[in-house]
Structures are given as C-alpha cells and as structure tokens.
Amino acid sequence: MASEREVRARLQRAGQEHLLRFCAELPPGPRAALLAELGALEPEALREHCRRAAAACAHPPGPPPDLAARLRPLPPECVGSASRCDPEMRRLWEEEGFRQISLNKVAVLLLAGGQGTRLGVTYPKGMYQVGLPSGKTLYQLQAERIRRVEQLAGQRHGTRCNVPWYIMTSEFTLGPTAKFFREHDFFHLDPSNVIMFEQHMLPAVTFDGKAMLEQKDKVAMAPDGNGGLYCALADHQILEDMERRGVEFVHVYCVDNILVRLADPVFIGFCVLRGADCGAKVVEKAYPEEPVGVVCQVDGVPQVVEYSEISPETAQLRGSDGSLLYGLGNICNHFFTRDFLRMVSSEFEPLLKPHVAVKKVPYVDEEGNPVKPIKPNGIKMEKFVFDVFRFAKSFVAFEVSREEEFSPLKNAASAARDNPATTRRALLRQHYHWALQAGACFLDAGGARLPELPSLPGNREPPAICEISPLVSYSGEGLEPYLQGREFRSPLILDENQASALQL
C-alpha cells in the first residue's frame, strides 16, 4: 500500500490534496482505508475527471444551436413494430428467437448499479416490492421470466437450454444483491448461470472541480453510469465468459421496468433476422414534451437525443401520417451481438462522452461534520449505455406497446408518475387483460359478475385484481386451460400450484 507521503504527492499532481485534510486525526484503520482508496486513483485521470466535470456543468443547458438541422428520423427500413407487423412475420421473428434461445446463444444482462435515491430506499432497486398480492420483488419477477422463456424454448425444440443472467452491480449494490440472491436460493435458477460483476466508481465533484469527501475517511463515489458497462465487460472478462458458453446475442435492460420481457424471443428474432449488431426497443412517445430520450439519427448515424436537447418546435413536428416525427422513445432495452460488444469494449469505449448529472451528494464540511444537502450540490459524471449506437454497422429499432412492456419504477410514492403505485397498476392491469383474453370472468364480493373492461385508462385500477406468475405465462400465452369459462373472485393469484389445481 502506498504511504501517506506518496498519496499526498499523487493528489498534489491532481490538484486534489484537500482529500487528505482529515487524515492526521483518523485512527489507523480508517486512515489506511482512506489511503488505499486514494492510492488507487490515477493522478492524471483524477485531475482530468474533475476538470471535465466542472467544465461540463458550467456549459449552458439546452439544445446545441445546430442540432435541429442535423436531426433526422430513423429510416423506415430500420424500424420494426410488434403490433403493426404482419402476424406471420411476427411468428417468424418469435420462432427465430426461440431457436436461438434453444441453442444457448442468448444471454440477458441487467444494469443494476444505480442507487435507489429517488425511490427513497437504501437497498438495490431490484429488491423492492411494489405491493403485488404475491409480494414478489423486481428481481424475482425477472428471474421467473428467465425460467419461463427457457422452458418455452426447450418445449418447442426438445432441448434443455439456459439463458445466462449477467448482473452489473456497483460498490453499493453488489453485496446486498448477492446476499439477496443467496437468501432466495437464486429464485431456483442455477447459480452458475447468474454472474454478478461490478462497474467502475468515480468521485463526485463540486461545482468548482474538487472531489468530495462523503466521510472523513471516504471519498464520495458514484457509479460511472450504465455506459460503464463496456469497461466492466473488459475488466471482468465477461465477454470471454460469454464466448465459453456459446453466447452470441445479448439482451441488455434496466432493473426498474416491471414489465420487461427478458430474452424476448420476438425482439431477439427480429434483430437476428435483420442482421443487426445493435438494436433498441422503443415506445411511442405519449406526448411531444414527454421527458424521454428519442431514438433518431444525428448526422446520419443512430443516436439517442435527450429530451432536453430537442427544441419544443422540433418535438412538435409530425409526419404525413400524423405521428410525431421524433416519437420513438428510448426505454433502455437493447440488443447487442457479442462481437459488437467486444468491438466497443476494445476500440470505441474511450470515445464515449461522459454526461453531467447534478445530484444531492452527502459530504463532510470543513469541520468534518456530515451534511445531507437539501438541494443539488455535486456533479456525478456518467456514461450512457446507448451512446454506442453510432458505432453499429446495422442498427434497428423495434417499437412495442407501452402498456405491455414499459412501466419503470423510478420515484417514491409521493411522485406523480413512475412510482410504486403506477408500476403495480401497470402489471395488474396487464394480467387482468390477459385473463379476459383467456376467457376468465370475475365476480364481486357478492357473487355478481363484474363488467369486463378490456380497455382501461392508465391511471385506473382494474375492476378485479389478478396476478399471473411469470412461471405460468411469459406474455399472456397458454392461459386458456386454467381460465377459460371459469369465474373467479378477486384477488386471483395464478401461480404454478393454482394452475395445476385448475387444470385437474
């Protein structure tokens, strides 16, 4: 371990010697931990990181002045749709996806390094229960969808197949996530097929370019964004592990979407049959000003443009069919070939531009007192997973229904949207619709039949509570043997045991 003198010299070169201002008063253990943490930081990289953070934060927000002239929608030949396609074509996409899964060529990769700060919890977001009747967490729902898609692919092709689950964590989420999975027996997945790894951490920086101390003996660190994936893949030899397993196609997604379809065979098949090396699921923007990134072209190459960078006039533009010209909303749900990920990790990662996130960062003041700020006081620099789209040789976008596939959990219950209530409602509304389509009828407490409401506004609770385990149905398929022509009182929780009883 480097000595205090060596660490101080390195910090002087970085212009960050203030990080040692409490070192002399620390007991031996905490002092050693601080020196070890600071000794791992490269002086030149630290100096440049802090300089870039302050400079980027000082840059005026808003769209670049020439962006509108460089912006174009994606060409129609690069866009597919799950709902507006020929049913036979959709069947072919799904069959190809299941075929690749049955050959053990598909993996899923979860981006789970972020903290649940906005949600108001101190543990990883995947461990959160949104209040489903079953009490399932996001992690459990996702694990069960993997098990179901493996089962479906195996049944179709007469094989036993595995979909490896790679989980990118951070310093904050690795320990709790690993412990949670062990306590729940990996949700009955093979532990050897659940691979956790850590992304990089970067110091939080003040507005004047100084790295921050969270405690007297600890630097305020933050994950380097979901775009830190590409460095982490190289650091932990994840691509080599994929190659050993025969994985060729990777479905990458964010932890917070309660409706995410892991290893979605329709999406996988669409991308494979199009010969894509990179793809993105998208949803139609709900309204022009919706705060969601837009998948489009800039200077002729695919890119996600943040909503804050698009002028109101450009956001309002519509095509000849009346739809928004820039209406493909990014939902952090991506397809990559392993070869593309290798190319990005080995060649293009240094070209990714960090983005500024101004946050409330706990710190210690000049007297060493801990402070929890009430307004943003620091800068976290993050890279975005989608910033690699421009390197693709064959990029495609695949539009899906928001009601079927996208309801993110981002905020605490007090927020107006993307909170536990809205995500719970989205899942229960989806399952209620699946049950109606399968022929189920619901009764009220007095035994009277409830009206069937196949179309519900987004903010309305379904008339009956129905939760269907992913182990019973992945996307609404195969429910007729259990539900058709039957009457149920709310709530209906259709798990494996209930399904077996109904089938007898």
Side-chain angles (χ1 to χ4, degrees):
M1 186 182 74
S3 67
E4 180 180 341
R5 180 177 178 181
E6 291 169 329
V7 171
R8 190 174 297 277
R10 291 163 64 89
L11 291 176
Q12 286 175 338
R13 283 159 52 197
Q16 304 293 325
E17 190 180 359
H18 65 283
L19 294 173
L20 283 173
R21 64 186 185 274
F22 301 112
C23 187
E25 63 187 74
L26 294 173
R31 182 188 301 132
L34 176 65
L35 292 175
E37 183 177 41
L38 294 172
L41 301 174
E42 289 294 331
E44 288 74 20
L46 177 60
R47 183 180 65 244
E48 181 63 11
H49 167 70
C50 294
R51 184 198 67 77
R52 291 175 69 176
C57 187
H59 192 275
D66 60 341
L67 180 63
R70 299 159 54 203
L71 214 58
R72 295 289 183 277
L74 287 179
E77 62 270 20
C78 295
V79 183
S81 172
S83 59
R84 291 196 288 269
C85 65
D86 176 72
E88 175 60 16
M89 182 57 68
R90 181 189 169 97
R91 188 193 67 78
L92 291 174
W93 293 338
E94 183 178 58
E95 183 54 42
E96 177 63 17
F98 276 127
R99 189 177 76 86
Q100 298 295 345
I101 293 168
S102 74
L103 295 171
N104 296 318
K105 291 186 176 183
V106 177
V108 291
L109 195 156
L110 166 59
L111 305 172
Q115 299 165 270
T117 309
R118 279 195 287 167
L119 186 57
V121 298
T122 58
Y123 51 83
K125 202 181 289 186
M127 293 164 53
Y128 194 86
Q129 296 184 31
V130 300
L132 295 173
S134 66
K136 290 179 180 178
T137 61
L138 296 180
Y139 280 150
Q140 182 170 355
L141 291 170
Q142 292 168 21
E144 291 181 353
R145 287 177 189 143
I146 291 175
R147 291 172 59 193
R148 177 63 176 171
V149 83
E150 288 176 339
Q151 181 188 48
L152 290 171
Q155 288 173 348
R156 285 188 179 222
H157 293 275
T159 62
R160 178 176 174 81
C161 52
N162 294 304
V163 175
W165 194 7
Y166 295 89
I167 303 177
M168 185 176 78
T169 64
S170 68
E171 174 185 302
F172 302 121
T173 62
L174 176 59
T177 296
K179 181 172 182 285
F180 190 73
F181 271 67
R182 289 193 300 270
E183 289 173 347
H184 291 82
D185 195 24
F186 288 80
F187 305 104
H188 303 289
L189 290 167
D190 182 343
S192 68
N193 289 328
V194 180
I195 305 96
M196 300 183 192
F197 60 102
E198 274 190 79
Q199 66 183 108
H200 284 183
M201 303 287 286
L202 294 172
V205 181
T206 63
F207 298 139
D208 59 353
K210 296 296 183 183
M212 303 172 70
L213 284 176
E214 180 182 348
Q215 302 168 13
K216 290 182 178 181
D217 60 348
K218 183 167 177 55
V219 180
M221 303 288 278
D224 56 354
N226 55 31
L229 169 67
Y230 307 107
C231 274
L233 290 175
D235 290 347
H236 300 283
Q237 291 81 51
I238 298 300
L239 295 173
E240 289 78 4
D241 184 83
M242 290 180 179
E243 186 173 10
R244 284 193 295 272
R245 296 170 184 264
V247 170
E248 294 185 15
F249 310 111
V250 186
H251 178 208
V252 176
Y253 70 100
C254 251
V255 68
D256 56 16
N257 180 10
I258 197 169
L259 300 181
V260 64
R261 295 182 180 179
L262 289 83
D264 176 13
V266 179
F267 182 42
I268 298 295
F270 168 75
C271 293
V272 171
L273 291 177
R274 286 291 185 96
D277 54 359
C278 176
K281 271 192 181 183
V282 296
V283 296
E284 183 179 1
K285 288 180 70 174
Y287 51 92
E289 302 82 14
E290 183 181 11
V292 61
V294 172
V295 182
C296 56
Q297 284 189 342
V298 179
D299 298 330
V301 296
Q303 193 168 316
V304 174
V305 178
E306 288 299 294
Y307 66 91
S308 58
E309 297 178 330
I310 297 178
S311 69
E313 296 77 17
T314 301
Q316 295 280 352
L317 293 175
R318 294 185 180 271
S320 58
D321 62 352
S323 63
L324 290 173
L325 205 57
Y326 299 103
L328 300 182
N330 176 52
I331 60 173
C332 197
N333 192 319
H334 308 311
F335 167 94
F336 300 114
T337 65
R338 192 190 75 240
D339 288 342
F340 178 76
L341 290 174
R342 185 180 301 282
M343 180 178 66
V344 170
S345 296
S346 61
E347 297 179 35
F348 296 128
E349 196 284 331
L351 302 178
L352 298 182
K353 179 183 176 183
H355 300 258
V356 172
V358 179
K359 304 278 189 176
K360 290 183 284 189
V361 181
Y363 68 101
V364 290
D365 63 20
E366 290 304 314
E367 285 72 45
N369 302 309
V371 179
K372 287 192 173 182
I374 59 173
K375 62 181 182 179
N377 64 313
I379 306 163
K380 296 181 180 181
M381 297 293 281
E382 303 173 337
K383 293 182 178 180
F384 294 161
V385 68
F386 52 71
D387 280 344
V388 302
F389 290 177
R390 59 194 170 108
F391 305 124
K393 295 176 182 176
S394 178
F395 175 84
V396 294
F398 190 63
E399 186 181 354
V400 297
S401 162
R402 183 188 297 255
E403 290 72 24
E404 283 294 315
E405 298 203 36
F406 184 57
S407 182
L409 174 65
K410 295 186 178 296
N411 304 313
S414 57
R417 59 197 298 270
D418 300 341
N419 60 44
T422 61
T423 53
R424 177 180 64 251
R425 187 186 305 129
L427 186 73
L428 295 179
R429 189 170 60 239
Q430 180 189 68
H431 291 187
Y432 169 75
H433 289 154
W434 288 358
L436 291 185
Q437 290 166 3
C441 297
F442 290 96
L443 309 177
D444 65 17
R449 180 173 290 194
L450 290 167
E452 295 183 5
L453 300 175
S455 180
L456 288 168
N459 60 353
R460 180 169 175 180
E461 298 284 348
I465 294 174
C466 173
E467 183 185 350
I468 299 170
S469 168
L471 297 173
V472 175
S473 184
Y474 176 83
S475 58
E477 81 291 332
L479 293 173
E480 289 79 6
Y482 317 121
L483 303 181
Q484 192 168 45
R486 295 176 185 263
E487 296 178 334
F488 300 94
R489 280 188 169 87
S490 174
L492 168 63
I493 304 176
L494 186 61
D495 57 19
E496 284 184 297
N497 293 331
Q498 174 79 338
S500 297
L502 289 170
Q503 202 170 22
L504 295 176

